[in-house]
Amino acid sequence: MSKEKLKANIWAFVVTAILARLITLGSGNLDRFDAALVGYTFATLFAAFGITRRYALWLQRPPTAMYWTRGWKVFFLLLHPRHIVSNLFRFFQRLFVHYAFNDFIWRRGRMRWLAHWYIMWGCVIAGGITFPLVFGWVHFASEPDNLEWYRVRLFGYPTVAFPIRSLVGFLTFHGLVWSSILVIIGVLLALRRRLHDHGAAALQEFGEDILPLFLLFAISVTGLMLTASYTWMKGYGYDFLAILHALTVIFTLLWLPFGKFFHIFQRSATVGVAFYQDVGKQGEQAKCRRCGEEFASRMHVEDLITVEQQLGYHYEMPDSPVEHYQWICPRCRRVLLGLAQGQLWSGVRDQESGIS
Amino acid sequence: MYLPNQNEFFIDPARCIGCEACVQACSECDTHKGHAMIHLEHVDRGQSTQTVPVVCMHCESPTCAEVCPADAIKKTDDGVVQSARKPRCVACNNCVLACPFGVPKMITDFELMMKCDLCYDRTSAGKKPMCASVCPSGALYFGPRAQIEQLRPRSTPVNKFQFGRQTVATKVHMMAPKGPAKAQYVDVTDAMNETGRGQRISLDILSTMYVSEEQP
Ligand code: HEM
């Protein structure tokens, strides 16, 4: 086993073990654990293993590792007492506009945004409800002196209470219905774009682009069918639906580390990137060694030179004052392409006219 | 998805007349609607009329994809390096700075890198990329190799480029002189001290152009 894989496996094992311990702790040594949910629990543990493993492998790729270490260094630099207030403000602002609102997807297209926003929030709400319930971290118990009231218990400890027959009660107990509806609307909007958009149609692949939408749709619809079954149909087909629903969820959980859903975890990297760029802008800039214009932060260019060397590229220019091609700006690189071709032709012409 | 065909992309910057038809056409491609991915550079605007159209060269081992921290740049089985995957790209700019040809564009508003993808919606269905379908001077040419060799008897396609100590092999070819001086690769960094050559070269080459060079 390679060093990278070994490291990733260890991390994955540790994270899974911690989660398992939290499940036994939270559920009072499985006292409050619902045995019917054991399939979901094991699928989650496997997913935690897979996601951590892939995340750890990913962090060890040279460009990612560079951002990872730099990101943390830059982060602590920004925590300096002089900047901490403005930087924390920027951090929370970014958390809100980027992660919660998805402002950048809004700018890519309103329909794209609407689809994603519904899907994301539907899944966040559903995950926020189901995981703590399945793990036994949260459960509802009626008050001994008042059966009309429920008290929320967190890790077994009593917290707030609310009347069962109330708006809060209605909204809470149907949380998964609301989130399913959000997801279904989002998925249909996304599918609509994928069916109509000529460009998307040319690029999309079943496993990467269609299957995730299909899975979310299947989870939400089978979930709603469960609610319909016990609410209006006296539990008709409930056992079958419960198995179907569990299968769709378990498959999705097991698939989280592999396909498109991995972006949920991987996009955390944008925080580091944003800090890196902030610090880069404040520091020394790199000047193109052909045209003299500033084109990036010096730190970025130097880091890229390191990463390229780690990857086995040799853009060094030992006989030139330029030293490394990374010191040439993108515009000059494009111009050089034309100049290089011109140089070949001028060589031919010189030969033809007898000058060599 | 991809129908294998014998068409290949050949660029011949010396033929570029800077008309910008490619830029306009490019922004009509369905995979990046409204955004032109082709670059049209003036070599030295004050001194020369020389222009260079730059499309993605679709490297065999793409530096952009290797330096991507988010694994967002993928190559199709038929060797086309795609634009960044939309959910993955973290807009870090590594690819923009590292591409030896200066191809990827950072669309800051979208927090997304976009680049020429050989008009995958078109080329995967056997059509020409937008730019090649409108280029009036044959600087951007998409078609069978035998055809271009016949049309440009003085030229031969080369798909290796030298940057310092690094050789980069690409799917897209550049037209280079044939004959005893035939270059094994285009030495890009060797042109570091070159300056724009005005129209001398392009006129020279255009004079050898076949009148019947109509692209099908
Ligand atoms: C539970 C959370 C999330 C789920 C279930 C989810 C799901 C999805 C799905 C299914 C797509 C594909 C849509 C399509 O087929 O067109 C997608 C795209 C995307 N997601 Fe998420 N996502 C989640 C969270 C996030 C977060 C937190 C971010 C980053 C802030 C993010 C960024 C993106 C981006 C940039 C795209 C591409 C959008 C585009 O087409 O331009 N996602 N997501």
Side-chain angles (χ1 to χ4, degrees):
Chain A
M1 193 187 298
S2 70
K3 212 178 81 202
E4 287 82 14
K5 282 200 176 135
L6 183 68
K7 230 169 150 179
N9 285 340
I10 294 174
W11 271 111
F13 184 77
V14 169
V15 169
T16 313
I18 292 175
L19 181 62
R21 181 68 193 121
L22 281 175
I23 293 173
T24 53
L25 260 182
S27 57
N29 275 330
L30 303 184
D31 267 358
R32 292 181 296 272
F33 187 81
D34 183 347
L37 302 177
V38 68
Y40 290 97
T41 309
F42 272 99
T44 310
L45 289 171
F46 278 119
F49 187 90
I51 291 164
T52 316
R53 185 173 185 278
R54 174 143 184 224
Y55 203 88
L57 277 175
W58 171 63
L59 284 184
Q60 294 177 72
R61 289 189 50 228
T64 326
M66 177 63 87
Y67 270 112
W68 175 251
T69 44
R70 277 274 186 257
W72 283 109
K73 273 193 196 141
V74 163
F75 179 72
F76 288 114
L77 221 80
L78 293 176
L79 283 184
H80 189 277
R82 248 190 332 152
H83 312 292
I84 188 162
V85 176
S86 65
N87 284 328
L88 279 181
F89 176 76
R90 260 183 61 77
F91 176 73
F92 284 108
Q93 186 194 25
R94 187 164 173 83
L95 214 60
F96 183 75
V97 292
H98 186 92
Y99 290 92
F101 180 71
N102 297 159
D103 63 327
F104 62 112
I105 309 185
W106 168 270
R107 291 190 293 265
R108 290 180 190 180
R110 303 296 184 262
M111 272 302 169
R112 246 177 220 281
W113 173 81
L114 203 63
H116 189 265
W117 208 70
Y118 275 131
I119 294 176
M120 180 181 80
W121 278 106
C123 290
V124 168
I125 296 171
I129 296 172
T130 41
F131 287 112
L133 281 179
V134 168
F135 298 160
W137 294 348
V138 167
H139 75 135
F140 299 99
S142 45
E143 292 284 82
D145 50 348
N146 185 353
L147 294 180
E148 288 297 300
W149 278 64
Y150 261 165
R151 189 169 288 283
V152 182
R153 288 175 164 265
L154 206 67
F155 273 67
Y157 297 103
T159 61
V160 290
F162 58 86
I164 296 173
R165 278 177 234 287
S166 65
L167 187 66
V168 179
F170 182 75
L171 288 178
T172 311
F173 290 120
H174 293 82
L176 287 177
V177 172
W178 316 131
S179 53
S180 296
I181 294 174
L182 288 181
V183 171
I184 289 175
I185 298 176
V187 166
L188 290 179
L189 287 173
L191 270 179
R192 183 170 168 270
R193 184 177 73 77
R194 294 201 166 276
L195 288 175
H196 289 289
D197 186 322
H198 194 74
L203 299 171
Q204 68 203 4
E205 290 162 14
F206 178 78
E208 184 64 22
D209 302 300
I210 307 295
L211 186 61
L213 295 175
F214 177 77
L215 287 173
L216 293 178
F217 189 77
I219 293 177
S220 309
V221 169
T222 51
L224 284 181
M225 283 159 88
L226 277 173
T227 309
S229 162
Y230 70 71
T231 313
W232 298 302
M233 300 163 80
K234 302 197 178 82
Y236 178 78
Y238 191 89
D239 291 341
F240 171 71
L241 286 173
I243 291 175
L244 202 60
H245 184 64
L247 283 179
T248 58
V249 174
I250 289 170
F251 185 81
T252 307
L253 285 171
L254 294 180
W255 199 62
L256 280 180
F258 304 105
K260 182 173 250 171
F261 292 129
F262 192 63
H263 79 273
I264 301 166
F265 311 97
Q266 187 221 27
R267 284 203 73 90
S268 54
T270 55
V271 180
V273 167
F275 282 140
Y276 184 81
Q277 287 173 348
D278 281 355
V279 169
K281 274 193 205 113
Q282 291 158 17
E284 190 188 339
Q285 300 302 296
K287 285 203 176 95
C288 172
R289 294 194 179 165
R290 182 172 174 273
C291 68
E293 296 286 326
E294 290 181 351
F295 67 100
S297 73
R298 192 183 169 93
M299 169 174 77
H300 200 169
V301 169
E302 283 171 348
D303 285 349
L304 268 175
I305 291 178
T306 310
V307 167
E308 282 162 13
Q309 282 163 350
Q310 287 166 343
L311 291 168
Y313 284 104
H314 299 287
Y315 286 108
E316 296 84 11
M317 298 167 63
D319 306 323
S320 156
V322 175
E323 292 174 12
H324 194 284
Y325 199 52
Q326 202 51 65
W327 293 108
I328 300 297
C329 74
R331 196 194 100 83
C332 281
R333 292 177 176 208
R334 298 192 285 272
V335 166
L336 280 171
L337 200 59
L339 289 175
Q341 192 207 23
Q343 199 179 28
L344 291 177
W345 280 104
S346 72
V348 172
R349 195 184 344 275
D350 291 348
Q351 272 181 2
E352 282 174 357
S353 55
I355 323 164
S356 63
Chain B
M1 189 176 6
Y2 180 74
L3 306 171
N5 67 38
Q6 35 156 340
N7 291 341
E8 291 176 90
F9 204 158
F10 303 92
I11 58 166
D12 205 343
R15 287 174 169 254
C16 179
I17 55 171
C19 70
E20 300 215 12
C22 54
V23 179
Q24 298 302 324
C26 181
S27 64
E28 286 178 30
C29 173
D30 273 337
T31 57
H32 47 82
K33 265 190 265 324
H35 296 269
M37 290 296 124
I38 192 167
H39 299 263
L40 187 72
E41 295 297 347
H42 287 261
V43 169
D44 183 355
R45 208 163 192 160
Q47 300 296 322
S48 127
T49 54
Q50 189 178 355
T51 46
V52 191
V54 182
V55 293
C56 178
M57 302 299 286
H58 299 284
C59 302
E60 281 171 15
S61 157
T63 310
C64 62
E66 297 253 5
V67 299
C68 175
D71 253 342
I73 306 174
K74 297 282 171 200
K75 212 167 98 174
T76 60
D77 293 340
D78 45 320
V80 174
V81 183
Q82 294 179 316
S83 240
R85 294 257 163 110
K86 291 188 179 71
R88 288 200 191 171
C89 175
V90 291
C92 73
N93 230 30
N94 271 11
C95 54
V96 174
L97 295 177
C99 168
F101 300 99
V103 166
K105 287 190 176 181
M106 182 52 61
I107 314 290
T108 319
D109 250 11
F110 293 178
E111 297 189 28
L112 180 67
M113 176 282 265
M114 288 167 78
K115 64 180 266 301
C116 156
D117 65 353
L118 203 74
C119 289
Y120 203 66
D121 56 328
R122 297 174 57 83
T123 47
S124 63
K127 293 185 189 153
K128 291 179 187 203
M130 292 302 272
C131 56
S133 72
V134 297
C135 180
S137 61
L140 301 160
Y141 184 94
F142 190 77
R145 176 183 292 250
Q147 193 171 33
I148 195 158
E149 282 181 340
Q150 188 195 1
L151 288 169
R152 300 186 195 169
R154 295 185 64 193
S155 308
T156 186
V158 172
N159 76 332
K160 290 202 170 60
F161 299 84
Q162 193 67 28
F163 303 92
R165 290 174 51 216
Q166 181 67 43
T167 312
V168 174
T170 61
K171 182 178 169 72
V172 175
H173 291 74
M174 180 184 260
M175 299 310 284
K178 215 180 197 166
K182 179 180 180 321
Q184 295 303 309
Y185 53 77
V186 180
D187 195 337
V188 180
T189 35
D190 195 36
M192 201 60 79
N193 299 320
E194 289 282 301
T195 48
R197 284 170 178 263
Q199 282 189 310
R200 195 158 66 93
I201 288 183
S202 35
L203 289 179
D204 210 34
I205 291 171
L206 287 174
S207 68
T208 65
M209 204 166 132
Y210 277 56
V211 185
S212 63
E213 194 177 317
E214 280 285 298
Q215 291 187 24

